[in-house]
Amino acid sequence: MIPTKYIFVTGGVASSLGKGIISASLAKLLQARGYMVTIQKLDPYINVDPGTLNPYEHGECYVTEDGAETDLDLGHYERFLGIPTSQANNVTTGRIYQSVINKERRGDYLGKTVQVIPHITDEIKRRVKLLGGRNKYDFVITEIGGTVGDIESLPYVEAVRQLKWELGDQQVLNIHLTLVPYLQSSGELKTKPTQHSVKMLLETGVQPNILVLRTSHELSEELRKKVALFCNVEPDSVIQSIDVSTIYEVPLLMQQQGLDATVLRKMGMEVTGEPELKPWKDFLQKLQHPRFTTRIALVGKYVELPDAYISINESFKHAGAMNDCRVEVTYLHSEQIDESNYKGLLKGFNGILVAPGFGDRGIEGKILAARYARENNIPFLGICLGLQCAVVEFARHVAGLDKAHSTEMALKTPDPVIDLMEAQKGITEKGGTMRLGAYPCVIRKDTKTFEAYGTVEVSERHRHRYEFNNKYLEAFEKLGMIATGTNPETSLVEIMEIPAHKWFVGVQFHPEYSSTVLKPHPLFVAFIKATLTKEK
Ligand code: GLN
């Protein structure tokens, strides 16, 4: 086993250039060459984790199997690599400071003054090495959030500098991603911001080894040479990342320019053969040349920011490709759906998905969407709050419990069909206190749920405080909505289904967190399939 190699991906010039996708693409290429790879994200903000952040602030909160609420980039890592990440894969400044302060309170620093250097930087290095030190991975790719030059990124860049110094260039490599803007008026690509950004890195003592330039236009050979010369890197270490229609093309574009081979060579490793990318290319072929199209309404309240539902979106792509089908997703704002317009707004879709969420804003719109799907035999997938809405809707319009609700929205409802979990009562802190992470679920045979999974025991990831109130289960089952998935230890209802409907499934967990390119989630696959079939 080679000692773990560390690759740091930093960003300059602007944020949102796709560091996560570049990291995941490189990881995919190394994995496809047979190496064990993992990816980590270091986020420079003070929140301990993004769990308490509004999705409008930071997009979706992704949840790992071990119950960590993390940055959405971890979703990309899992979707690309097909291996689970964990709490150790996402570390924020808040978490770093929390550990250092806890150590200080315990007296671990033996009376020393606790400072950013060396104590914070040591803790950053420890968190990076924690992933590498288990002889599990050949490569740990660490993406540093934010932009080089930000005050809050400084300790991270300093930690990279120290690690490079300690372990040397063959064990620690820096890839810097920048933007090369295109000036419409003169028809030119400009490299000056890249040069400045590299200078900024150099000021902190880090010489990047490879530059990835995000661009809307092809970079000429001449331009690459110029960047190489002024930024002090080898010409073959200037790689372009051109805008593409799907993120899943990026690994192939990186491979065509030899990113993986360059990394291996620079880290003193032998470059033999090519990465095995056939399954990936097959997926891409299906994604880009589908035979069918299906139209899905995604009903949620964070629809202005598609990043809020990024895992659901990607799950549709994986499941669509599996069904040879393009999934056209239309976002419907649940706050804008009401009694007067819901039939018109929801008409014509092949399937309806009601998204996860919190609080009562837009809740009646979601309940109406579930009603429309149920009454019109339209395939329906309700996720977390989406399941809870379907349950409330069924209670009100099938079971005749007019005032039924979730106690999250109506504390005094006479029929709390969705209620706070026993274990949640008395919890007042918000951070990391929900029912989080993977729990087992047993599937009832001879149901559409079972047909989708093809197995009785599954494990799914959660992020919720409320649950189906089992007092109503018998009545619901008699009326035609049955529990098809339950937690074997607590009997908590995990999945509800209407067997008489074409395909109506609601899940308390989040299937979207575990759908990957090469292993789409079975419920998404079955949902899309149901939207394509005509027969009942
Ligand atoms: N607000 C609901 C709960 O806490 C649903 C959560 C979700 O959709 N992730 O149970």
Side-chain angles (χ1 to χ4, degrees):
M1 176 104 193
I2 50 167
T4 304
K5 310 242 177 206
Y6 298 95
I7 300 171
F8 290 92
V9 179
T10 51
V13 181
S15 57
S16 306
L17 295 181
K19 283 195 299 277
I21 302 299
I22 294 297
S23 305
S25 299
L26 172 61
K28 182 77 226 171
L29 295 176
L30 294 171
Q31 186 193 51
R33 283 181 175 274
Y35 294 108
M36 295 296 292
V37 191
T38 191
I39 321 177
Q40 176 186 45
K41 172 104 188 250
L42 301 180
D43 272 314
Y45 50 72
I46 314 286
N47 304 63
V48 172
D49 62 43
T52 50
L53 287 173
N54 186 323
Y56 286 127
E57 284 280 320
H58 206 67
E60 168 190 283
C61 172
Y62 185 76
V63 178
T64 57
E65 279 182 356
D66 67 346
E69 297 181 288
T70 72
D71 186 78
L72 59 81
D73 270 322
L74 271 78
H76 289 309
Y77 307 163
E78 289 204 12
R79 291 188 280 273
F80 274 59
L81 295 183
I83 52 171
T85 54
S86 71
Q87 178 68 74
N89 294 73
N90 190 198
V91 179
T92 68
T93 294
R95 203 170 280 278
I96 300 273
Y97 271 79
Q98 199 177 44
S99 334
V100 170
I101 291 169
N102 287 344
K103 280 188 203 161
E104 188 272 336
R105 292 289 82 182
R106 278 203 310 265
D108 291 3
Y109 295 111
L110 303 172
K112 286 250 178 301
T113 309
V114 181
Q115 294 181 296
V116 172
I117 300 170
H119 302 103
I120 295 296
T121 45
D122 279 354
E123 181 61 19
I124 294 172
K125 289 190 289 180
R126 191 183 72 79
R127 297 281 183 156
V128 173
K129 287 180 175 168
L130 204 62
L131 271 179
R134 298 175 190 154
N135 270 354
K136 209 168 144 192
Y137 300 111
D138 302 310
F139 291 91
V140 173
I141 299 179
T142 301
E143 175 191 349
I144 299 182
T147 311
V148 163
D150 296 348
I151 290 176
E152 50 189 24
S153 312
L154 274 173
Y156 293 95
V157 181
E158 169 61 13
V160 175
R161 186 196 69 75
Q162 291 184 14
L163 270 176
K164 263 174 161 295
W165 180 83
E166 283 166 27
L167 301 173
D169 267 7
Q170 295 217 329
Q171 213 180 324
V172 182
L173 185 113
N174 170 232
I175 299 178
H176 190 53
L177 173 64
T178 70
L179 174 71
V180 178
Y182 180 76
L183 291 191
Q184 203 72 42
S185 51
S186 57
E188 272 180 303
L189 286 164
K190 290 299 193 187
T191 64
K192 193 74 79 183
T194 298
Q195 296 176 41
H196 280 296
S197 173
V198 170
K199 283 222 170 72
M200 199 120 54
L201 257 183
L202 283 168
E203 268 172 32
T204 42
V206 174
Q207 165 67 57
N209 306 89
I210 294 174
L211 296 175
V212 177
L213 311 185
R214 180 72 190 266
T215 174
S216 53
H217 292 68
E218 289 280 335
L219 304 184
S220 65
E221 215 30 58
E222 198 188 342
L223 188 139
R224 286 189 202 223
K225 279 202 185 121
K226 180 174 152 191
V227 171
L229 174 67
F230 289 126
C231 298
N232 214 13
V233 297
E234 290 171 324
D236 70 352
S237 300
V238 179
I239 310 261
Q240 78 172 17
S241 169
I242 199 157
D243 298 350
V244 276
S245 59
T246 162
I247 53 171
Y248 298 117
E249 252 185 88
V250 179
L252 303 180
L253 294 179
M254 291 300 117
Q255 200 248 326
Q256 280 159 20
Q257 298 174 80
L259 177 63
D260 50 332
T262 304
V263 164
L264 290 173
R265 190 171 47 74
K266 281 188 177 295
M267 301 193 96
M269 297 172 80
E270 221 186 316
V271 184
T272 48
E274 296 291 333
E276 168 48 17
L277 290 166
K278 172 126 186 5
W280 192 272
K281 287 181 182 163
D282 289 348
F283 159 78
L284 205 57
Q285 168 70 19
K286 282 196 183 156
L287 182 73
Q288 292 179 321
H289 306 283
R291 279 163 53 215
F292 315 107
T293 298
T294 192
R295 295 188 60 229
I296 307 288
L298 190 157
V299 182
K301 68 174 173 184
Y302 307 115
V303 292
E304 299 92 337
L305 184 76
D307 263 5
Y309 300 116
I310 190 159
S311 290
I312 294 179
N313 252 311
E314 299 309 311
S315 301
F316 275 139
K317 289 182 194 154
H318 312 150
M322 190 81 149
N323 280 294
D324 227 331
C325 164
R326 180 195 319 280
V327 182
E328 270 178 28
V329 181
T330 304
Y331 293 98
L332 295 183
H333 201 307
S334 55
E335 258 186 316
Q336 286 156 12
I337 301 176
D338 59 35
E339 283 282 354
S340 71
N341 64 13
Y342 79 104
K343 290 184 183 154
L345 285 175
L346 290 159
K347 201 171 169 212
F349 289 104
N350 305 103
I352 295 174
L353 182 143
V354 176
F358 296 84
D360 66 355
R361 189 165 66 88
I363 194 76
E364 293 302 325
K366 290 186 171 184
I367 293 172
L368 282 168
R371 177 175 197 177
Y372 187 83
R374 181 180 57 77
E375 290 182 342
N376 295 283
N377 209 23
I378 296 167
F380 172 87
L381 179 58
I383 300 181
C384 208
L385 183 61
L387 157 78
Q388 299 175 357
C389 288
V391 165
V392 170
E393 191 282 313
F394 193 87
R396 289 184 189 172
H397 306 114
V398 180
L401 309 170
D402 300 352
K403 297 206 165 55
H405 217 323
S406 158
T407 51
E408 181 180 4
M409 327 297 164
L411 203 54
K412 297 215 159 72
T413 170
D415 286 297
V417 284
I418 302 292
D419 202 3
L420 192 62
M421 278 181 281
E422 205 45 48
Q424 287 288 324
K425 294 184 180 155
I427 293 179
T428 49
E429 292 222 344
K430 288 275 181 267
T433 54
M434 283 186 249
R435 179 172 180 248
L436 290 165
Y439 286 90
C441 170
V442 174
I443 309 295
R444 191 195 286 201
K445 284 203 172 144
D446 300 322
T447 59
K448 295 203 179 65
T449 310
F450 179 76
E451 210 177 289
Y453 278 110
T455 171
V456 173
E457 271 169 54
V458 299
S459 168
E460 295 284 2
R461 299 182 208 182
H462 299 74
R463 184 171 189 251
H464 66 121
R465 293 196 170 88
Y466 293 81
E467 63 177 336
F468 179 80
N469 184 343
N470 270 326
K471 275 191 224 143
Y472 293 87
L473 187 58
E474 212 186 306
F476 266 60
E477 295 214 327
K478 277 196 189 121
L479 291 165
M481 184 186 254
I482 63 168
T484 54
T486 39
N487 180 292
E489 280 144 38
T490 63
S491 305
L492 182 148
V493 171
E494 295 280 16
I495 313 178
M496 290 292 252
E497 168 178 328
I498 300 179
H501 188 281
K502 185 175 179 189
W503 204 90
F504 192 105
V505 175
V507 291
Q508 188 53 71
F509 50 80
H510 293 262
E512 72 275 22
Y513 291 149
S514 49
S515 179
T516 71
V517 166
L518 300 182
K519 231 170 139 218
H521 194 284
L523 288 176
F524 273 90
V525 175
F527 174 50
I528 294 301
K529 192 170 166 205
T531 69
L532 292 172
T533 46
K534 290 260 177 297
E535 78 281 9
K536 188 175 168 275

